[in-house]
């Protein structure tokens, strides 16, 4: 659905020629698509071994990898203020998802028997893959629509065997939800994300990646009626403060201005 939606949109906007990749851009675009598919496959597989909250926290270690790769690969400077904000935001995310309580309640023997550490490892590898997606997107130097289109194409080619092997959903409302996920949460969302990624330094991309889990937790509370503990509310507050502090001009930037 994401691929079909993006194709129709680009055809209407007469952007289909953008899908022709240059020799320099093609490897980065294709690499980002492979890493995207791998990261989500690892993430969902990890949730079968550990809790969803733990998987979300570990998966969002990726901003630290984005900062590191951006500094080493792209030569971008990482300010201490933004690095500290990312670490504080990660701590706030741990509080907001209730991971700390989960760790305290989970015994070491139970964790080892349930494949808990395998889930942790899958999340960490997935986080590195997702960080690689961000870096490849910046190196590709192509349009956001084309980048999202190629990722949807590679994802469709890689995953088509699953519904063929395990069966398609029953006709009805399930297909409407799938269409919404494909058109809105994949085609539109990733086009907007890459439009921002191509315009921002990796240090700002890293801190903004915490907006997604924070919004997901709030939506879970408002829409699905999930009760949030005091610790989780504190975690959301810490996340909000960390993001706002990271976006404040540092003293050095103010002095230069």
């Amino acid at each position: 659905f994401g691929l079909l939606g993006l194709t129709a949109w680009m055809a209407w906007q007469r952007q289909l020629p953008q899908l022709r990749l240059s020799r320099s851009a093609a490897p980065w675009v294709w690499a980002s698509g492979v890493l995207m598919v791998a990261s989500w496959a690892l993430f969902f597989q990890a949730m079968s071994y550990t809790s969803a909250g733990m998987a979300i926290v570990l998966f969002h270690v990726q901003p630290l990898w984005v900062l590191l790769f951006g500094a080493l690969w792209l030569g971008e400077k990482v300010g201490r203020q933004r690095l500290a904000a990312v670490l504080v935001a990660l701590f706030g995310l741990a509080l907001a998802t209730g991971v700390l309580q989960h760790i305290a309640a989970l015994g070491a023997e139970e964790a080892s028997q349930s494949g808990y550490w395998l889930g942790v490892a899958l999340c960490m590898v997935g986080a590195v893959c997702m960080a690689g997606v961000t870096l490849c997107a910046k190196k590709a130097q192509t349009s956001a629509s084309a980048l999202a289109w190629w990722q949807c194409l590679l994802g469709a080619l890689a995953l088509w065997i699953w519904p063929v092997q395990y069966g398609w959903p029953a006709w009805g409302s399930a297909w409407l939800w799938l269409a919404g996920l494909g058109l809105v949460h994949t085609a539109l969302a990733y086009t907007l994300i890459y439009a921002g990624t191509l315009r921002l330094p990796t240090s700002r991309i890293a801190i903004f990646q915490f907006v997604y889990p924070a919004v997901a937790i709030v939506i879970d509370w408002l829409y699905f009626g999930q009760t949030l503990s005091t610790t989780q509310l504190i975690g959301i507050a810490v996340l909000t403060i960390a993001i706002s502090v990271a976006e404040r001009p540092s003293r050095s930037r103010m002095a230069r201005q």
Side-chain angles (χ1 to χ4, degrees), residues 5 7 31 53 70 84 92 115 127 152-153 160 162 211 222 230 256:
T7 303
C152 286
L153 175 64
W160 70 272
W162 266 260
V211 174
L222 294 176
T230 302
R256 287 194 300 268

Side-chain angles (χ1 to χ4, degrees), residues 44-89:
F44 288 117
Q45 184 64 31
M47 284 198 293
S48 64
Y49 294 105
T50 184
S51 66
M54 177 60 76
I56 290 172
V57 170
L58 293 174
F59 196 70
H60 280 85
V61 174
Q62 57 164 303
L64 296 177
W65 292 114
V66 170
L67 289 176
L68 178 61
F69 293 160
L72 296 179
W73 192 6
L74 302 179
E76 296 183 358
K77 294 183 178 180
V78 180
R80 284 180 290 181
Q81 174 179 317
R82 206 171 293 277
L83 177 60
V86 168
L87 293 174
V88 172

Side-chain angles (χ1 to χ4, degrees), residues 75-237:
E76 296 183 358
K77 294 183 178 180
V78 180
R80 284 180 290 181
Q81 174 179 317
R82 206 171 293 277
L83 177 60
V86 168
L87 293 174
V88 172
L90 186 61
F91 174 69
L93 182 62
L95 293 176
T97 54
V99 164
L100 298 182
Q101 297 96 312
H102 176 76
I103 293 175
L106 186 66
E109 183 177 353
E110 182 183 352
S112 61
Q113 291 177 351
S114 63
Y116 178 83
W117 295 111
L118 176 59
V120 170
L122 292 174
C123 281
M124 296 302 290
V125 176
V128 173
C129 291
M130 185 59 77
V133 171
T134 302
L135 274 295
C136 288
K138 291 187 69 67
K139 294 287 288 186
Q141 295 297 315
T142 188
S143 71
S145 297
L147 193 59
W149 187 91
W150 277 103
Q151 285 192 353
C152 286
L153 175 64
L154 291 171
L157 292 176
L159 299 174
W160 70 272
I161 189 64
W162 266 260
V164 171
Q165 183 175 357
Y166 295 105
W168 297 89
W171 184 254
S173 61
W175 284 91
L176 294 177
W177 286 109
L178 287 172
L181 287 170
L183 295 172
V184 178
H185 300 90
T186 301
L188 177 60
Y190 277 97
T191 299
L192 293 174
I193 287 171
Y194 291 131
T197 296
L198 298 174
R199 291 170 170 81
L200 295 174
T202 54
S203 59
R204 296 191 71 185
I205 295 171
I207 193 65
F208 279 131
Q209 286 180 336
F210 287 104
V211 174
Y212 157 63
V215 171
I217 293 168
V218 172
I219 292 297
D220 199 27
W221 171 44
L222 294 176
Y223 185 76
F224 294 105
Q226 180 68 38
T227 303
L228 298 180
S229 66
T230 302
T231 302
Q232 289 179 295
L233 292 174
I234 293 173
I236 293 174

